[in-house]
Amino acid sequence: MTLQTYLTEKNKLVESCLDQWLPREDAEPAKLHQAMRYSLFAGGKRIRPILTIAAAEAVDGDISKVLPAATALELIHTYSLIHDDLPAMDDDDYRRGRLSNHKMFGEATAILAGDALLTFAFELLVRESIGAGVEAEKITFALLELSSAAGTFGMIGGQAMDLSAEGQKVNLDGLETIHKCKTGALLRAAVRIGAGVSGANQEQLQALTSYAESLGLAFQIKDDILDIEGDSQKLGKQAGSDLLKDKSTYPSILGLQEAKRLLNQQIDNSLQSADIFAEKGKILRDIALFVRDREF
Amino acid sequence: MTLQTYLTEKNKLVESCLDQWLPREDAEPAKLHQAMRYSLFAGGKRIRPILTIAAAEAVDGDISKVLPAATALELIHTYSLIHDDLPAMDDDDYRRGRLSNHKMFGEATAILAGDALLTFAFELLVRESIGAGVEAEKITFALLELSSAAGTFGMIGGQAMDLSAEGQKVNLDGLETIHKCKTGALLRAAVRIGAGVSGANQEQLQALTSYAESLGLAFQIKDDILDIEGDSQKLGKQAGSDLLKDKSTYPSILGLQEAKRLLNQQIDNSLQSADIFAEKGKILRDIALFVRDREF
């Protein structure tokens, strides 16, 4: 199966679970449920849930048992985008070409919709995992991974550090810490949850953790490189915006060549980590190559 | 033991757990952890955790096993106060006589501190419950109760309904629905979690659920009555503010006498529900009487 076919297929699967498990738009309070669905069904690529599924498959897991946790990861990711876009935070009026949640529904509803997606992530994870026959010990494992990755030593902490670094020069260590927390922690949790719920052994869990850590950094480095070399049309956003904002990035700190070297090194790490799964690690390796070669 | 002694003792116990389990103020990102602790240690009465403990005691439970979940309830309650105070929501500059979180730390940090307390509630519940030797099935029970009570059909839903009812006349049904969701759901979850984690049977669980539902309504009716009859000095806030804001309340809809009759009826329900625990229900009954007779 080509990676593109795989991604399309799993994206559909995740969307159908989200649609099935989320409160309907007409359930009261209707405006709140509409706001939750508005941001959740805005064309996200579902990277985190897909990583959960791919990790489960790499260790011969049952996909239906990891779908609740996979879906919960997407709810957490979506809530973070809604809150990050708020006027007091990054103040973005648009997201994926559409009005951001607070521009569409007002700030109060956007704050509540974010809170609700975050809260519902945990409810859905527990309820639907029980429904899928996942053992309680594995549910609590997934909950610990998810909540710590989303917390102050993970995603929320990264956003706080990013906000306080605004307009300041950050060194390489600082930049790496921010990215590891802000985006890396949830990617790491995604594969660990997929593997752990599927009953992976320690060696498998460690290989996948290492895979995801490298992949997360590679993703960010590539983002920074595309902002310099990318085609605005393909990117769907203006290239060069990091330079304009005088933002610290891998190329701005290391230079473009060294950033590319670091990108390749991280991708190699990911590929090697996936090697222990032999044929079953193919999708994981394809995802890593895609991260390296993407033009958008 | 008098109720006052009990409340003071349990308050201290809950505070010491919170202090022990929460990230230190100097852990990075320090400002965020400071903001979380600022609102958490602002002199709250810890009603929800105390109800959890009292419910556990009523069914002969082990307090140390319900403390993690009890503490998690307080984290959720505190996050909701921080977000409710935000300019886009109720826009309150003060809370319990101190600057509200966003006035003290700025809006971005207040939003993140709220998100972090909510997220940490689930992390703490799982981690510390495992540490206290609670079975995984009971942890997932507590998680489901907590997340659904805090969600769009509970607390968040109630806040959304409250915001959209602002400046509008609400009828008795509407008022009751808002209160049941906004404050009632978490009180209900508090006793159900205390009982469920302690291995209560169905009859006990139902009695406590009924106890808490009546107590929650009684609490709100009494609040509304105090706004009319109370002494501003004892209340620590200006009486008569509901009238000024033209807010729908139990007395404004039913009249003062009928509101008092309804208060007494709810308290009677609570007392009767607690009766099945005989001597072990004494604290629960004392709490109900306190809600009826309080002057602040």
Side-chain angles (χ1 to χ4, degrees), chain A residues 143-163:
Chain A
L143 277 161
L144 257 189
E145 289 287 331
L146 184 63
S147 56
S148 56
T152 61
F153 299 116
M155 189 183 73
I156 293 174
Q159 172 68 0
M161 288 186 265
D162 202 13
L163 283 172

Side-chain angles (χ1 to χ4, degrees), chain B residues 41-283:
Chain B
F41 297 105
K45 294 184 287 294
R46 320 298 183 198
I47 306 280
R48 291 152 196 81
I50 290 173
L51 280 174
T52 302
I53 295 169
E57 290 181 329
V59 301
D60 265 330
D62 176 349
I63 294 183
S64 69
K65 294 200 172 184
V66 303
L67 277 173
T71 316
L73 279 154
E74 190 69 10
L75 296 177
I76 301 251
H77 172 60
T78 305
Y79 114 76
S80 77
L81 300 180
I82 296 176
H83 280 189
D84 284 1
D85 284 345
L86 287 167
M89 306 270 266
D90 299 344
D91 195 14
D92 279 318
D93 289 356
Y94 292 89
R95 162 77 60 184
R96 292 176 186 138
R98 304 198 311 166
L99 286 174
S100 50
N101 200 289
H102 66 275
K103 288 310 252 185
M104 192 70 185
F105 296 95
E107 257 186 84
T109 298
I111 294 169
L112 290 174
D115 293 345
L117 287 167
L118 172 54
T119 307
F120 193 63
F122 295 102
E123 181 177 350
L124 181 154
L125 198 168
V126 178
R127 175 175 300 142
E128 301 303 336
S129 295
I130 291 174
V134 180
E135 300 94 314
E137 283 78 8
K138 287 183 177 165
I139 300 175
T140 56
F141 167 83
L143 280 161
L144 258 189
E145 289 288 331
L146 184 62
S147 56
S148 57
T152 60
F153 300 117
M155 189 182 72
I156 294 174
Q159 173 68 1
M161 287 186 266
D162 203 12
L163 283 172
S164 53
E166 230 166 58
Q168 290 185 359
K169 286 284 167 207
V170 177
N171 65 16
L172 190 62
D173 272 359
L175 191 66
E176 202 167 300
T177 304
I178 291 175
H179 289 315
K180 271 188 182 169
C181 291
K182 189 173 173 178
T183 53
L186 219 53
L187 296 172
R188 186 175 179 275
V191 298
R192 287 178 59 83
I193 289 171
V197 171
S198 303
N201 62 35
Q202 276 307 314
E203 189 199 3
Q204 292 172 321
L205 203 56
Q206 268 172 23
L208 283 163
T209 305
S210 164
Y211 167 85
E213 286 174 353
S214 292
L215 189 78
L217 277 182
F219 191 89
Q220 192 55 52
I221 301 168
K222 179 73 183 193
D223 242 26
D224 291 353
I225 292 172
L226 281 172
D227 193 69
I228 294 176
E229 292 194 326
D231 177 330
S232 298
Q233 203 137 22
K234 284 184 186 161
L235 286 173
K237 62 180 178 186
Q238 195 59 45
S241 67
D242 292 343
L243 263 172
L244 270 173
K245 290 187 207 154
D246 199 24
K247 207 176 140 189
S248 298
T249 67
Y250 284 95
S252 81
I253 293 174
L254 294 173
L256 191 54
Q257 279 321 104
E258 182 61 16
K260 286 182 178 174
R261 201 192 58 76
L262 190 58
L263 167 64
N264 282 317
Q265 188 192 20
Q266 296 299 331
I267 295 296
D268 285 347
N269 283 350
S270 283
L271 295 172
Q272 275 173 33
S273 301
D275 267 348
I276 72 158
F277 304 107
E279 257 318 289
K280 294 207 171 91
K282 178 175 181 300
I283 288 294

Side-chain angles (χ1 to χ4, degrees), chain A residues 8-275:
Chain A
T8 306
E9 193 182 274
K10 298 310 178 216
N11 193 320
K12 270 189 199 158
L13 180 61
V14 170
E15 299 246 339
S16 100
C17 289
L18 285 168
D19 185 41
Q20 186 187 331
W21 291 334
L22 227 76
R24 305 259 71 84
E25 287 214 338
D26 54 4
E28 288 299 335
K31 189 182 171 190
L32 183 57
H33 291 128
Q34 281 160 23
M36 291 165 75
R37 284 180 166 261
Y38 174 81
S39 290
L40 201 53
F41 297 105
K45 293 183 288 296
R46 320 301 185 196
I47 305 280
R48 292 152 197 81
I50 289 173
L51 280 173
T52 302
I53 295 168
E57 290 182 329
V59 301
D60 266 330
D62 175 349
I63 294 184
S64 69
K65 293 200 174 183
V66 302
L67 277 173
T71 315
L73 279 154
E74 190 69 11
L75 296 177
I76 301 251
H77 172 59
T78 304
Y79 114 76
S80 77
L81 300 181
I82 296 176
H83 281 190
D84 284 2
D85 285 344
L86 287 168
M89 306 271 266
D90 299 344
D91 195 14
D92 280 317
D93 289 356
Y94 291 91
R95 164 76 59 185
R96 294 176 184 138
R98 305 197 311 165
L99 285 174
S100 50
N101 199 290
H102 65 276
K103 288 309 254 185
M104 191 71 186
F105 295 96
E107 258 187 83
T109 299
I111 294 167
L112 290 174
D115 293 345
L117 287 167
L118 172 54
T119 308
F120 192 63
F122 296 103
E123 181 178 349
L124 180 154
L125 199 168
V126 178
R127 174 175 301 143
E128 301 302 335
S129 295
I130 292 174
V134 180
E135 301 94 312
E137 283 78 7
K138 288 184 176 165
I139 300 176
T140 56
F141 166 84
L143 277 161
L144 257 189
E145 289 287 331
L146 184 63
S147 56
S148 56
T152 61
F153 299 116
M155 189 183 73
I156 293 174
Q159 172 68 0
M161 288 186 265
D162 202 13
L163 283 172
S164 53
E166 230 167 58
Q168 291 185 359
K169 286 284 168 208
V170 177
N171 64 18
L172 189 62
D173 272 1
L175 190 67
E176 201 167 300
T177 304
I178 292 175
H179 289 315
K180 271 189 181 166
C181 292
K182 190 172 174 179
T183 54
L186 218 54
L187 296 172
R188 187 176 178 274
V191 298
R192 287 177 60 82
I193 289 171
V197 171
S198 303
N201 62 35
Q202 276 306 313
E203 189 199 0
Q204 293 172 320
L205 203 56
Q206 268 172 22
L208 283 163
T209 305
S210 165
Y211 167 85
E213 286 174 353
S214 291
L215 189 78
L217 277 183
F219 191 90
Q220 192 55 51
I221 300 169
K222 179 73 183 192
D223 242 25
D224 291 353
I225 292 173
L226 281 173
D227 193 69
I228 293 177
E229 293 193 327
D231 177 332
S232 298
Q233 202 137 23
K234 283 183 186 162
L235 285 172
K237 63 179 177 187
Q238 195 59 45
S241 67
D242 292 345
L243 265 171
L244 269 173
K245 290 187 206 152
D246 200 24
K247 207 175 139 189
S248 298
T249 67
Y250 285 94
S252 80
I253 293 175
L254 295 174
L256 191 55
Q257 278 322 104
E258 183 58 18
K260 285 183 179 176
R261 202 193 58 77
L262 190 59
L263 167 64
N264 282 316
Q265 188 190 26
Q266 297 299 331
I267 295 296
D268 286 347
N269 283 350
S270 283
L271 294 172
Q272 275 172 33
S273 301
D275 268 347

